Amino acid sequence: MKNSTDEKYEWNLKDIFENVDEFEIAKKELNKYIDELKKFQGKLNNLEDVRSYYQIKEMANKLRAKFMCYAALNYHRDMGNEEGAKLYKDAETLSAKFASSLSFVIPELIENSEEKLEEFASHDSMKPYERSLRRIIREKKHVLSKEVEKVISSYSEVFASVENAYDIFTTTEFSFSDVKDKNGNELKMSHGLYSKYLSGSDRILRKNAFESMYAPYKNNINTITELYLARVKDVVITAKLRNYKNAIDMATLADDSKAEVYDCLVDSVNKNLNLNHEYLKVKNEILKEELNGDKQHLYDVYRNPLIKEEENIEYEDAKKIVLDALSIMGNDYIAKLKEAMENRWLDVYEKENKRTGAYSMGVYGVHPYVLLNYVNSSRDVSTIAHELGHSMHSYFANTTQNVLNAGYTIMVAEVASTVNEILLANYQIKNEKDNSKKAFLINEQLDMIRATLYRQTMFAEFEKIVHETIEEGKNLSSNDLNTIYYELVKKYFGDSTFCDDIIKYEWARIPHFYSNFYVYKYATGITSAIVIASKIMNHEEGYVNKYIEMLSKGGAEDSLDLLKSVGVDLEKSETYNIAFEYFRKNLDELKKLI
């Protein structure tokens, strides 16, 4: 391993601020901007003041982006450093103050008539801010009277506490029984260790970990049911009060999406469940030796035994693999990736007190920064490609759009990163000579699609059924929720996998269900990425430029329109069929190899 303390493998934060003194100067300037922006309270009813407000807010947001990112990055590289922790807390406090000081803006703008807002948005001088005003116009019809809004606002904290109660309950008050491996050794069990045990070769440990994980959810299912249904009813009632068609309509419009996208996803996946069933049959074949005549169980599906040893890949070699794999994106894209790698946009290695995991943070007016915790594994190579996908998205958007339009929605947030992952995986598969390793790589990719497209859609279908049942005025018990979920598991996994009875409690383990209708975006995201990557790999003329142009628009257009501009229409089943055809092609190749 290269020397992880070498400066070239660490961030250069001087690209943001030369030193902490500059950070403190920015803090003073931000406070001045806050004072200036607060002066617009009561004045956002004429073109001149609305324009001035947005102009000052644009300048403030540019500085705020640098201020917040510098503090966060400085803290994350050494979370044990007291000075860094203090800077981060200062930044959080000022950011909260900034947001709070502007709480009057949306309600005040919404008080204007739709005609007046349209007049503001259509004026030539407001072109850079038209997108923000269009969102307000769209939102206006769902805003209620001041009195009702005040009541809803008063109760919002109470409703939010349901999710907090669930998190606290399942995180701090749950304990998992120790688990035994095949040799009778007792091992600790936790949320973090669970995935490690399930991907391991010890089937007895996998089974024991599976049962240990769901036991506390089973024992507390009535309490969790009450918490979850309280959250569902909160969303259903709010959607009705705000004049949405239903809860899905409210959630998807907030995502810059549509209910039709949600329905098309669920319908398309249901029509192609046979592919998932077929893949799981192949997994049975792959696991035949470990299963010893038994049928695959749910605790077996994360196991991939096709290669015996993890490769050791040095970071410098990983860089070359990523650059070679993404060369299909063209010289300009590769030149920017090289700039990132050579100019300390990445903090590469694990270090004491460094934040765990990986992310890309776009810094408007500077460049993105990538956090890695590189330990020379093959998964780390994929992480580099993934995070640099986010970085390129942020870079193109930030250098093309103003700060108010650069930010993109969650509907497109994972597309660029997953496109890079797919391009990397296909490059590795194509260039791998060893059939065992090639089969391993294909299986990894298929399992990623299964876990994202199929599994997340199964979650999405569960949410849809539950919310629609509550909207019909019917009651649901814990037994009802268990039954709904268990029937979905059997439908999605098919006959080749034994669906253990205890899996019916899995719905109670999914924290994303408290962020209603969130999970479907994982499935639409990977669908979009497969379609885009397929077109790039097919060398469609001019497509890479078209794709980069889409990334460059950031959030300047509606997310569905951005995706349509690169041939991804999430309201049409044909789009999902491209993803399923890609899945089929890889599955056929895996069958030949094994």
Side-chain angles (χ1 to χ4, degrees):
M1 184 185 285
K2 300 285 183 185
N3 182 5
S4 62
T5 60
D6 192 325
E7 193 179 66
K8 71 178 181 178
Y9 298 115
E10 298 175 346
W11 289 322
N12 178 18
L13 299 187
K14 289 185 178 182
D15 289 349
I16 308 175
F17 294 128
E18 185 65 32
N19 49 43
V20 174
D21 290 341
E22 283 194 7
F23 174 85
E24 292 297 335
I25 291 168
K27 182 177 172 181
K28 290 176 183 175
E29 287 182 34
L30 263 179
N31 274 303
K32 287 179 184 176
Y33 276 128
I34 289 172
D35 292 338
E36 281 189 67
L37 290 167
K38 282 161 72 175
K39 291 175 184 175
F40 287 97
Q41 188 160 3
K43 296 181 179 179
L44 297 180
N45 54 15
N46 65 86
L47 177 62
E48 186 178 343
D49 281 322
V50 170
R51 181 173 58 240
S52 296
Y53 162 77
Y54 273 108
Q55 287 170 340
I56 294 170
K57 186 186 177 186
E58 183 179 1
M59 292 186 288
N61 275 14
K62 285 180 186 177
L63 185 60
R64 186 188 180 202
K66 292 172 68 176
F67 179 79
M68 286 301 301
C69 292
Y70 181 86
L73 294 164
N74 193 60
Y75 177 51
H76 290 164
R77 64 182 177 176
D78 183 1
M79 296 175 77
N81 182 286
E82 287 186 17
E83 186 182 340
K86 184 181 180 301
L87 286 185
Y88 186 59
K89 285 177 184 174
D90 284 351
E92 281 191 314
T93 300
L94 187 53
S95 183
K97 180 182 175 184
F98 186 92
S100 175
S101 68
L102 300 185
S103 60
F104 70 90
V105 175
I106 301 297
E108 202 167 299
L109 283 170
I110 280 174
E111 281 188 14
N112 291 294
S113 66
E114 194 167 327
E115 291 74 22
K116 186 178 274 192
L117 287 171
E118 184 62 45
E119 181 188 322
F120 295 161
S122 303
H123 198 275
D124 287 345
S125 66
M126 293 295 289
K127 196 70 181 169
Y129 318 118
E130 181 182 0
R131 174 79 172 144
S132 296
L133 285 165
R134 294 272 172 222
R135 285 199 189 99
I136 291 167
I137 293 169
R138 187 166 65 186
E139 193 180 320
K140 182 177 171 63
K141 62 185 173 185
H142 300 295
V143 175
L144 307 172
S145 68
K146 277 185 178 180
E147 292 76 15
V148 177
E149 286 291 344
K150 190 175 181 181
V151 172
I152 291 175
S153 177
S154 299
Y155 278 102
S156 62
E157 192 175 336
V158 178
F159 295 143
S161 68
V162 170
E163 183 176 359
N164 294 336
Y166 171 82
D167 287 341
I168 292 167
F169 182 52
T170 56
T171 304
T172 66
E173 298 189 27
F174 270 26
S175 60
F176 301 101
S177 57
D178 291 349
V179 290
K180 287 185 178 180
D181 65 12
K182 63 184 177 183
N183 298 316
N185 300 313
E186 285 210 348
L187 303 172
K188 288 289 181 188
M189 174 62 185
S190 67
H191 287 287
L193 290 168
Y194 181 61
S195 57
K196 178 185 175 182
Y197 293 154
L198 253 61
S199 61
S201 61
D202 186 337
R203 194 174 188 226
I204 290 172
L205 178 57
R206 291 203 299 264
K207 179 178 185 293
N208 290 337
F210 182 77
E211 291 173 352
S212 175
M213 171 56 68
Y214 292 110
Y217 292 95
K218 177 183 178 181
N219 295 337
N220 295 281
I221 195 63
N222 291 325
T223 300
I224 295 174
T225 295
E226 288 304 309
L227 289 171
Y228 177 54
L229 290 179
R231 180 64 180 139
V232 172
K233 288 171 184 176
D234 164 24
V235 171
V236 167
I237 291 167
T238 302
K240 190 174 181 180
L241 284 173
R242 292 197 177 282
N243 302 312
Y244 289 95
K245 293 175 189 172
N246 50 39
I248 289 181
D249 185 49
M250 181 172 73
T252 51
L253 287 173
D255 289 338
D256 216 13
S257 180
K258 294 179 182 176
E260 288 81 0
V261 170
Y262 201 103
D263 292 338
C264 191
L265 166 71
V266 173
D267 184 57
S268 298
V269 169
N270 269 270
K271 286 176 179 172
N272 287 275
L273 285 175
N274 61 304
L275 272 178
N276 195 41
H277 300 164
E278 194 174 331
Y279 169 57
L280 290 165
K281 283 180 184 174
V282 172
K283 288 214 77 170
N284 256 310
E285 184 65 25
I286 292 169
L287 288 164
K288 185 164 63 174
E289 188 178 326
E290 287 185 17
L291 296 178
N292 196 26
D294 189 14
K295 184 190 275 192
Q296 173 179 251
H297 284 240
L298 291 167
Y299 48 78
D300 296 315
V301 296
Y302 293 97
R303 174 82 177 123
N304 185 358
L306 290 170
I307 58 171
K308 304 299 179 189
E309 292 181 15
E310 172 70 58
E311 284 189 84
N312 183 70
I313 304 171
E314 295 284 350
Y315 175 65
E316 293 298 330
D317 295 327
K319 282 164 57 177
K320 185 177 186 309
I321 293 168
V322 169
L323 290 170
D324 288 346
L326 299 180
S327 62
I328 195 170
M329 291 294 297
N331 294 334
D332 291 345
Y333 192 92
I334 291 298
K336 192 53 61 179
L337 289 181
K338 286 180 178 176
E339 183 183 336
M341 292 171 173
E342 293 165 9
N343 288 275
R344 298 173 60 191
W345 295 15
L346 294 87
D347 198 288
V348 178
Y349 292 106
E350 271 192 323
K351 286 190 283 289
E352 188 178 357
N353 295 325
K354 180 180 173 182
R355 178 177 158 151
T356 58
Y359 65 65
S360 171
M361 185 182 291
V363 185
Y364 191 91
V366 186
H367 58 69
Y369 284 82
V370 174
L371 180 134
L372 301 172
N373 278 279
Y374 195 85
V375 292
N376 291 20
S377 75
S378 58
R379 185 64 221 165
D380 286 340
V381 182
S382 184
T383 299
I384 294 171
H386 180 99
E387 298 304 339
L388 285 173
H390 284 305
S391 295
M392 292 302 100
H393 196 172
S394 296
Y395 172 81
F396 289 122
N398 288 352
T399 52
T400 308
Q401 304 298 329
N402 69 40
V403 69
L404 302 180
N405 288 337
Y408 39 85
T409 70
I410 295 172
M411 279 300 293
V412 295
E414 290 298 327
V415 171
S417 54
T418 311
V419 165
N420 276 12
E421 274 198 79
I422 293 168
L423 294 176
L424 170 67
N426 278 274
Y427 168 84
Q428 291 175 308
I429 291 165
K430 184 179 177 182
N431 289 281
E432 182 55 67
K433 306 301 181 192
D434 183 299
N435 280 350
S436 293
K437 289 181 181 178
K438 189 187 284 278
F440 174 84
L441 290 166
I442 294 170
N443 190 36
E444 284 275 280
Q445 185 167 211
L446 286 169
D447 212 35
M448 183 265 286
I449 297 171
R450 179 199 67 77
T452 312
L453 181 51
Y454 282 107
R455 180 171 165 79
Q456 300 298 331
T457 303
M458 181 178 78
F459 292 165
E461 189 169 354
F462 174 78
E463 286 193 272
K464 188 174 190 288
I465 293 168
V466 171
H467 283 76
E468 286 176 350
T469 304
I470 296 297
E471 282 166 343
E472 290 168 7
K474 298 175 183 176
N475 292 317
L476 288 168
S477 66
S478 58
N479 190 52
D480 293 329
L481 293 174
N482 293 343
T483 301
I484 291 167
Y485 192 81
Y486 189 60
E487 291 303 315
L488 285 171
V489 171
K490 289 195 291 184
K491 180 173 77 167
Y492 274 74
F493 279 82
D495 296 334
S496 64
T497 305
F498 182 82
C499 294
D500 308 76
D501 184 69
I502 203 167
I503 198 65
K504 68 186 179 185
Y505 302 102
E506 186 182 39
W507 69 265
R509 183 179 161 244
I510 312 300
H512 275 132
F513 286 162
Y514 292 81
S515 302
N516 308 61
F517 305 112
Y518 185 93
V519 293
Y520 86 98
K521 287 170 280 193
Y522 290 119
T524 57
I526 197 168
T527 300
S528 302
I530 290 171
V531 174
I532 292 167
S534 297
K535 289 175 178 290
I536 292 169
M537 291 185 290
N538 289 336
H539 300 282
E540 285 194 17
E541 190 175 350
Y543 188 81
V544 168
N545 289 337
K546 193 186 293 185
Y547 170 57
I548 291 174
E549 186 180 333
M550 185 273 277
L551 299 180
S552 301
K553 288 179 180 176
E557 294 179 12
D558 283 352
S559 299
L560 296 184
D561 290 336
L562 287 171
L563 291 169
K564 284 175 184 175
S565 73
V566 288
V568 180
D569 188 343
L570 292 172
E571 296 172 72
K572 291 186 177 176
S573 59
E574 292 85 351
T575 298
Y576 300 93
N577 289 342
I578 294 171
F580 292 121
E581 182 54 38
Y582 177 83
F583 191 87
R584 158 67 71 193
K585 179 184 167 189
N586 279 276
L587 180 55
D588 288 345
E589 189 170 357
L590 180 61
K591 284 180 179 177
K592 290 175 188 173
L593 289 168
I594 66 166

